[in-house]
Amino acid sequence: MESIQAKTRPAAQAPLAQAPSFQQLAARFRPVFQRIAERSAQRETDRELAYEPVAWLNAERFGALRVPLEHGGLGGSVEQLYDLLIELGEADSNLPQILRAHFGFIERLLAEIDPALHGPWMRLAAEGVIFGNATTELGDGSLKTLQTTLKRDGDAWRLDGDKFYSTGTLYADWISVSAQRLNDDGSSDRVIALVPAEAQGVERVDDWRGFGQRLSASGTTRFRNVRVKPENVLLYVRDQPTPLTAHFQLTHLATLAGIARAIVRDAVAFVRPRKRVYSHGSGDTPREDPLVQQVVGQLASTAFIATSTVQAVARGLGEVDRFRERGEAVPESLLFEVELNTAKAQAGIVDAVLQAGTRLFDIGGASALQGDRQLDRHWRNARTLASHNPTIYKGRVVGEYLLNGTRPTFYWAVGSA
């Protein structure tokens, strides 16, 4: 089991009087992003887990970005969150994925959980607590139920089960666990159990061996007879439209947009100083070769399109959030639109960014393949992110809605039918 290092906690600060502008947030976080970017390739080479970058972000209260002002957070908007996640993904694509469960939990509270229950969890996030994820189970378990269970034990519950793809949980303080609660009357329901990451009976294992996103800690989490207080069990409804699925997917898409921008950054950094040319090339230096210029321009176009697409979907999610802030019911048509636009964005962005990760190597010869440059990490990381929610189903969902009016699936599961 990977040891858990001490985290840097943000210093206690007085609550903000008003939410900061994006310019203020950028001034606050961009120096941290730059610091993260400086060693991103080296961390990849060494497979050095990102404890330090997470602590640097935590010291500036990045995890409190979406926590409302009244709970001591920064009160940032949905649009600001995704703009910053794109920039963080450009610095190191592992970091937005590490924090995806954390921000997803905040959005779940805002969108799906009784506001009367928000206080303790929002305050923890405002104080620097990071929430991890334990949702997906391996094997051929049923699509309809979870193998991870909560069973009654006196005045508390006992949690048992195994999870994989526990992204970010090695870095977390608390874990949001999806479980099947077995009630006293013989019924069961799907719940979220919140447990301290270092509680007795919790084991976090660094066994993620995917070829991309190697530092995301997307491995196994085991729960053995873990005691859970009743107030740490949150019930949510799975049979109605929700913005949450779009939030989770848009974090991946923002990370892909960040990767596209990192490809441009690394292409420019590679080409500018080079002197070696091909005898059958078209310029005295690579930077003067119109064919190389064209490739770099096309890479920049992909980054622009990916960024703009993420921002467009984020505006829709921001509109949903503003209905909530006003205490108004969110129109079902808006939730449909946001979910479908997220699917369209995924179908459009994934192939373009993967192609950019390949075209990057057209700017140079064999020297671009050197392992210490880690230029291949962009394609590997993009391919890994694209596989989390298979793109092949997204175009079909949009087409079925347009042709037959079939509502999109807001919650889906993986398992045996």
Side-chain angles (χ1 to χ4, degrees), residues 88-239:
L88 180 57
E90 179 181 358
D92 185 333
S93 67
N94 289 279
L95 268 300
Q97 191 180 2
I98 286 169
L99 295 171
R100 177 174 178 257
H102 173 84
F103 286 115
F105 175 64
I106 301 300
E107 297 302 333
R108 185 186 295 281
L109 288 175
L110 293 172
E112 297 184 350
I113 304 299
D114 182 351
L117 304 177
H118 291 182
W121 308 111
M122 289 295 190
R123 285 192 291 273
L124 284 176
E127 292 167 3
V129 163
I130 300 297
F131 292 91
N133 143 74
T135 300
T136 305
E137 298 171 345
L138 295 179
D140 295 328
S142 170
L143 284 170
K144 297 181 180 180
T145 61
L146 292 169
Q147 300 172 65
T148 301
T149 59
L150 271 179
K151 297 180 180 178
R152 176 74 70 181
D153 181 18
D155 62 351
W157 298 90
R158 291 290 175 175
L159 176 69
D160 285 279
D162 294 347
K163 300 290 189 178
F164 196 61
Y165 305 119
S166 304
T167 304
T169 294
L170 279 180
Y171 308 99
D173 305 286
W174 282 74
I175 308 173
S176 174
V177 188
S178 59
Q180 201 77 18
R181 182 172 62 182
L182 307 180
N183 299 312
D184 298 338
D185 61 2
S187 66
S188 68
D189 41 37
R190 191 76 60 91
V191 298
I192 295 296
L194 291 153
V195 299
E198 297 185 355
Q200 184 175 357
V202 176
E203 182 184 11
R204 294 173 284 172
V205 184
D206 177 23
D207 59 350
W208 168 243
R209 294 295 179 264
F211 63 62
Q213 295 297 94
R214 292 173 174 173
L215 312 183
S216 61
S218 300
T220 297
T221 308
R222 301 188 182 101
F223 303 93
R224 297 290 182 269
N225 200 34
V226 179
R227 188 176 188 274
V228 182
K229 297 177 180 179
E231 60 266 31
N232 293 0
V233 179
L234 302 178
L235 179 66
Y236 65 101
V237 180
R238 291 172 51 86
D239 60 354

Side-chain angles (χ1 to χ4, degrees), residues 92-407:
D92 185 333
S93 67
N94 289 279
L95 268 300
Q97 191 180 2
I98 286 169
L99 295 171
R100 177 174 178 257
H102 173 84
F103 286 115
F105 175 64
I106 301 300
E107 297 302 333
R108 185 186 295 281
L109 288 175
L110 293 172
E112 297 184 350
I113 304 299
D114 182 351
L117 304 177
H118 291 182
W121 308 111
M122 289 295 190
R123 285 192 291 273
L124 284 176
E127 292 167 3
V129 163
I130 300 297
F131 292 91
N133 143 74
T135 300
T136 305
E137 298 171 345
L138 295 179
D140 295 328
S142 170
L143 284 170
K144 297 181 180 180
T145 61
L146 292 169
Q147 300 172 65
T148 301
T149 59
L150 271 179
K151 297 180 180 178
R152 176 74 70 181
D153 181 18
D155 62 351
W157 298 90
R158 291 290 175 175
L159 176 69
D160 285 279
D162 294 347
K163 300 290 189 178
F164 196 61
Y165 305 119
S166 304
T167 304
T169 294
L170 279 180
Y171 308 99
D173 305 286
W174 282 74
I175 308 173
S176 174
V177 188
S178 59
Q180 201 77 18
R181 182 172 62 182
L182 307 180
N183 299 312
D184 298 338
D185 61 2
S187 66
S188 68
D189 41 37
R190 191 76 60 91
V191 298
I192 295 296
L194 291 153
V195 299
E198 297 185 355
Q200 184 175 357
V202 176
E203 182 184 11
R204 294 173 284 172
V205 184
D206 177 23
D207 59 350
W208 168 243
R209 294 295 179 264
F211 63 62
Q213 295 297 94
R214 292 173 174 173
L215 312 183
S216 61
S218 300
T220 297
T221 308
R222 301 188 182 101
F223 303 93
R224 297 290 182 269
N225 200 34
V226 179
R227 188 176 188 274
V228 182
K229 297 177 180 179
E231 60 266 31
N232 293 0
V233 179
L234 302 178
L235 179 66
Y236 65 101
V237 180
R238 291 172 51 86
D239 60 354
Q240 62 187 27
T242 175
L244 196 66
T245 312
H247 271 291
F248 276 116
Q249 189 55 37
L250 194 59
T251 302
H252 281 331
L253 299 182
T255 311
L256 284 167
I259 290 173
R261 290 165 59 145
I263 287 171
V264 178
R265 176 200 67 206
D266 288 354
V268 170
F270 180 86
V271 170
R272 276 181 175 169
R274 285 180 61 81
K275 303 299 182 186
R276 286 165 59 88
V277 295
Y278 291 96
S279 60
H280 53 302
S282 303
D284 292 334
T285 64
R287 67 189 296 176
E288 296 171 305
D289 189 319
L291 296 179
V292 175
Q293 292 168 357
Q294 181 184 25
V295 171
V296 173
Q298 288 173 330
L299 297 178
S301 175
T302 297
F304 173 77
I305 292 169
T307 297
S308 300
T309 302
V310 170
Q311 290 171 332
V313 179
R315 286 194 294 272
L317 282 169
E319 188 176 348
V320 170
D321 196 56
R322 285 183 281 278
F323 272 96
R324 176 194 61 80
E325 289 177 334
R326 294 192 298 266
E328 301 175 13
V330 180
E332 186 177 76
S333 60
L334 177 58
L335 292 169
F336 276 36
E337 178 184 345
V338 167
E339 179 65 22
L340 290 165
N341 283 346
T342 308
K344 295 173 193 174
Q346 183 178 353
I349 288 174
V350 164
D351 285 347
V353 177
L354 288 173
Q355 184 182 34
T358 298
R359 295 215 66 187
L360 168 62
F361 293 93
D362 290 337
I363 62 172
S367 57
L369 308 178
Q370 292 175 350
D372 59 346
R373 295 185 185 276
Q374 288 288 343
L375 294 181
D376 63 307
R377 76 187 189 279
H378 299 310
W379 185 92
R380 289 188 290 100
N381 292 340
R383 180 64 270 172
T384 302
L385 289 162
S387 298
H388 279 290
N389 187 350
T391 310
I392 60 171
Y393 300 111
K394 293 304 177 179
R396 185 199 64 78
V397 167
V398 174
E400 188 175 16
Y401 174 80
L402 292 173
L403 292 171
N404 303 314
T406 306
R407 60 180 280 169

